């Protein structure tokens, strides 16, 4: 999703802007651009705002910038993921305002340059007002209205102009703005989209970015801006005002030292980040569980010091909010929470929950699950639940510094490390590990976990990295399946009980990176409709653990075979399901009990990955998708 970088310095900051964009590439984008104040104007190129934009990769933008000798000591840059207006150069950011037409002829230099993440809901109304005042629009974006709005309020002070402009905006935004008359100044603002401030060398230079990773290697001194903040960056100084427009003290927005994992971008021996991240899962799970000696509520204590044990005593139910893959980890956890902890659990797609009338219960623990911790729908759903009076909140999140962690009472930080591939893999399995621990902690607080059970569960968790390694060793067999799947246009995924969400996740992985249409069903539902789709051209992938539903599942498999369907079964070693005509079996290790979903999802990730490779898609950046979905 869109990414922002901005800088004010004495040195040429173009390399920092470009490197920042490269570090944000993992979020997904379809165009990019930057604008600077020209540092050393010459006869061929007048002073003032200069811009380069591209619908190719950031590397192409860099080549363009070098060819055109664009240099400057302050500037802004952007990766765009199209929402309003197609991916095209004229819609790419930064957007310029040249002032109203009445101010001069076309071809004038830009007065305001602006980049934006988010969506402005009242852009049509603002566009009409600005057009009536003589502003001409060069793009179909909602962003361009903000550039003209800032220009229309400008009276010699960019900060004042931005402050006035954002007052008219409805929707979500993080913005960074330059004005041609103020060469050493960048103004930023955030409401609903993430933005951070980086304090650079000796406090003399300052940066803006969508996340700390964009500034890795430039500065690790980060200030997290909050909802409604405006920030003024100048040489050697910055200040921030809060949403009530009162200046904030350093104590209110402290500078934190942040490890931004600059080394995470190395691919090593892998072809794609997704493959690397699939193979990192044993390590990611080990890191996530490191230091867990016993099931204690303290594992979930909040960053602000809230004690989890107190909260656990005050709740009778769980409400899980999440999107996409994180939603499926929540669906898996529902089975654990109800079975092991005996606690009623509801799982909601965040984008739906926030807009429906629901019945709030203050004795609910609201659990927001997110890899990025910045997903707009999940954040909005969390705030909606809080607004309904459910103040007990917990996040399972992979980014310790994210809005989700800052806004929740309790937190469990997964240690998957930076996930770059758009398709989530190691974030999913580490979320499952965190959610299983949460289940055990809630079971314990409700007197439903004996010491022996606790010890057995912890032992199984500690053994997970080794068990996962054994599953990864199945890769060559899965490549064989992938060669067949690459020629298909449809696939069905079946699972039952705890493994139904794993079937859903397998189907999501396959469709998002290979573009094969895939659907998942609880196997018992087959005869209620989807069986009509089954014929020899419909591969049916089945997750078959040796659990209480195995015999039922075997009957469902017979239903598929009887209609000529071809089965691809991931069967636990002790299931006695064997390969035969029309049934291809990959043998998993012996059944792994309640933690089995963490093992069974790996072959499905590998199947999607190798199928996508065989079809030649852009595995790490699938079409139309973004890593961090910071707009609604
Ligand atoms: C799918 C995928 C998405 C994310 C979803 C939520 O592979 O990655 O479905 O899971 O956009 O993102 P987070 O977890 O960052 O809130």
């Amino acid at each position: 999703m869109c990414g922002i970088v901005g800088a004010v310095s004495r040195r040429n900051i173009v390399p920092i802007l470009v490197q920042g964009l490269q570090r944000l590439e993992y979020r997904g984008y379809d165009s990019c651009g930057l604008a600077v104040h020209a540092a050393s104007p010459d006869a061929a190129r007048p002073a003032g705002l200069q811009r380069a934009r591209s619908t190719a990769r950031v590397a192409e933008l860099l080549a363009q910038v070098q060819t055109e000798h664009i240099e400057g000591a302050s500037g802004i840059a952007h990766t765009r993921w199209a929402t309003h207006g197609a991916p095209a150069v004229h819609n790419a950011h930064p957007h310029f305002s040249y002032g109203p037409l009445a101010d001069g002829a076309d071809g004038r230099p830009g007065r305001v340059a602006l980049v934006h993440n988010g969506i402005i809901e009242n852009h049509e109304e603002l566009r009409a007002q600005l057009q009536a005042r003589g502003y001409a629009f060069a793009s179909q974006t909602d962003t361009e209205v903000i550039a003209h709005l800032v220009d229309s309020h400008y009276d010699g002070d960019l900060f004042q102009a931005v402050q006035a402009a954002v007052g008219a905006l409805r929707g979500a935004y993080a913005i960074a703005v330059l004005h041609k008359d103020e060469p050493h100044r960048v103004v930023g603002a955030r409401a609903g989209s993430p933005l951070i401030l980086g304090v650079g060398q000796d406090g003399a230079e300052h940066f803006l970015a969508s996340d700390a990773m964009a500034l890795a290697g430039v500065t690790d001194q980060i200030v997290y801006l909050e909802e409604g903040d405006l920030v003024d960056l100048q040489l050697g100084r910055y200040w921030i005002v809060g949403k009530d427009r009162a200046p904030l003290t350093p104590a209110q927005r402290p500078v934190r030292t942040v490890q931004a994992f600059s080394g995470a971008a190395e691919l090593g021996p892998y072809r794609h980040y997704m493959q690397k991240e699939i193979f990192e899962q044993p390590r990611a799970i080990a890191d996530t569980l490191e230091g867990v000696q016993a099931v204690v509520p303290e594992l979930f204590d909040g960053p602000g010091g809230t004690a989890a044990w107190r909260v656990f005593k005050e709740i009778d139910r769980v409400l899980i909010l999440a999107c996409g893959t994180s939603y499926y980890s929540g669906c898996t956890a529902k089975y654990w929470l109800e079975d092991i902890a005996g606690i009623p659990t509801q799982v909601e797609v965040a984008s739906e929950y926030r807009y429906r009338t629901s019945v709030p219960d203050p004795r609910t623990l609201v659990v927001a699950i997110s890899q990025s911790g910045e997903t707009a729908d999940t954040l909005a759903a969390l705030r909606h639940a809080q607004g309904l009076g459910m103040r007990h909140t917990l996040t399972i999140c992979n980014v310790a510094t994210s809005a989700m962690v800052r806004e929740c009472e309790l937190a469990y930080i997964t240690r998957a490390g930076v996930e770059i591939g758009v398709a989530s893999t190691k974030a999913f399995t580490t979320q499952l590990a965190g959610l299983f621990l949460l289940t055990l902690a809630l079971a314990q607080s409700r007197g439903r976990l004996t010491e022996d059970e606790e010890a057995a569960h912890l032992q199984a968790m500690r053994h997970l990295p080794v068990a996962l390694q054994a599953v990864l060793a199945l890769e060559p067999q899965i490549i064989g399946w992938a060669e067949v799947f690459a020629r298909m246009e449809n696939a069905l995924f079946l699972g039952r009980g705890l493994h139904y969400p794993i079937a859903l996740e397998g189907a999501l992985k396959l469709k998002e990176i290979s573009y094969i249409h895939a659907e998942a069903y609880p196997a018992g539902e087959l005869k209620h409709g989807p069986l009509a789709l089954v014929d020899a051209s419909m591969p049916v992938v089945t997750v078959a653990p040796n659990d209480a539903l195995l015999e039922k599942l075997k009957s469902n498999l017979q239903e598929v075979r009887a209609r000529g369907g071809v089965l691809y079964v991931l069967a636990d070693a002790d299931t006695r399901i064997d390969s035969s005509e029309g049934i291809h079996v990959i043998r998993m290790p012996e059944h792994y009990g309640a933690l089995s979903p963490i093992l069974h999802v790996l072959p499905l990730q590998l199947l999607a990955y190798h199928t996508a490779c065989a079809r030649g898609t852009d595995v790490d950046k699938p079409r139309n998708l973004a890593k961090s979905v910071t707009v609604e």
Side-chain angles (χ1 to χ4, degrees), residues 323-326 369-372 375 422-424 431 508-509 512 629:
C323 303
T325 289
S326 297
I369 308 172
S370 177
Q371 187 286 124
S372 61
T375 300
V422 163
S424 188
Q431 284 168 355
L508 176 65
K509 285 287 92 89
E512 71 182 322
V629 187

Side-chain angles (χ1 to χ4, degrees), residues 534-612:
V534 171
D535 63 13
S537 64
M538 173 70 86
V540 181
V541 182
T542 309
V543 185
N546 186 12
D547 62 11
L549 289 165
L550 179 63
E551 293 311 319
K552 306 265 176 225
L553 183 72
K554 282 183 176 172
S555 308
N556 303 138
L557 300 190
Q558 291 309 321
E559 291 161 11
V560 173
R561 272 310 293 141
R563 273 92 193 160
V566 181
L567 288 159
Y568 293 82
V569 187
L570 296 165
D572 283 357
D574 39 5
T575 52
R576 295 189 315 279
I577 300 178
D578 297 312
S579 292
S580 58
E581 201 194 328
I583 307 187
H584 306 272
V585 174
I586 289 184
R587 203 100 7 262
M588 297 284 289
E590 302 246 311
H591 185 49
Y592 209 76
L595 290 166
S596 164
I598 302 184
L599 266 54
H600 269 273
V601 76
L602 263 59
L604 300 181
Q605 296 169 345
L606 284 168
L607 177 63
Y609 171 72
H610 285 292
T611 305

Side-chain angles (χ1 to χ4, degrees), residues 4 114-116 146 162 166 173-177 187-190 195 208:
I4 286 178
L114 179 139
V115 292
H116 164 226
I146 321 177
V162 172
V166 296
Y173 56 83
I175 55 172
V177 198
V187 176
R190 75 156 282 189
L195 193 66
L208 283 179

Side-chain angles (χ1 to χ4, degrees), residues 33-109:
L34 61 78
V36 296
H37 270 284
S40 49
D42 55 35
R45 183 169 282 282
L49 301 179
Q50 290 178 12
R51 163 172 78 172
R53 297 183 290 177
S54 167
T55 49
R57 300 273 116 187
V58 175
E60 203 278 332
L61 180 73
L62 174 61
Q64 197 181 322
V65 160
Q66 286 166 340
T67 312
E68 296 177 20
H69 303 291
I70 294 179
E71 289 186 0
S74 59
I76 54 179
H78 191 259
T79 48
R80 173 173 188 254
W81 186 79
T83 56
H84 296 64
V89 169
H90 69 278
N91 285 329
H93 303 206
H95 286 285
F96 275 7
S97 177
Y98 299 91
L101 285 174
D103 286 7
D106 252 354
R108 295 158 295 153

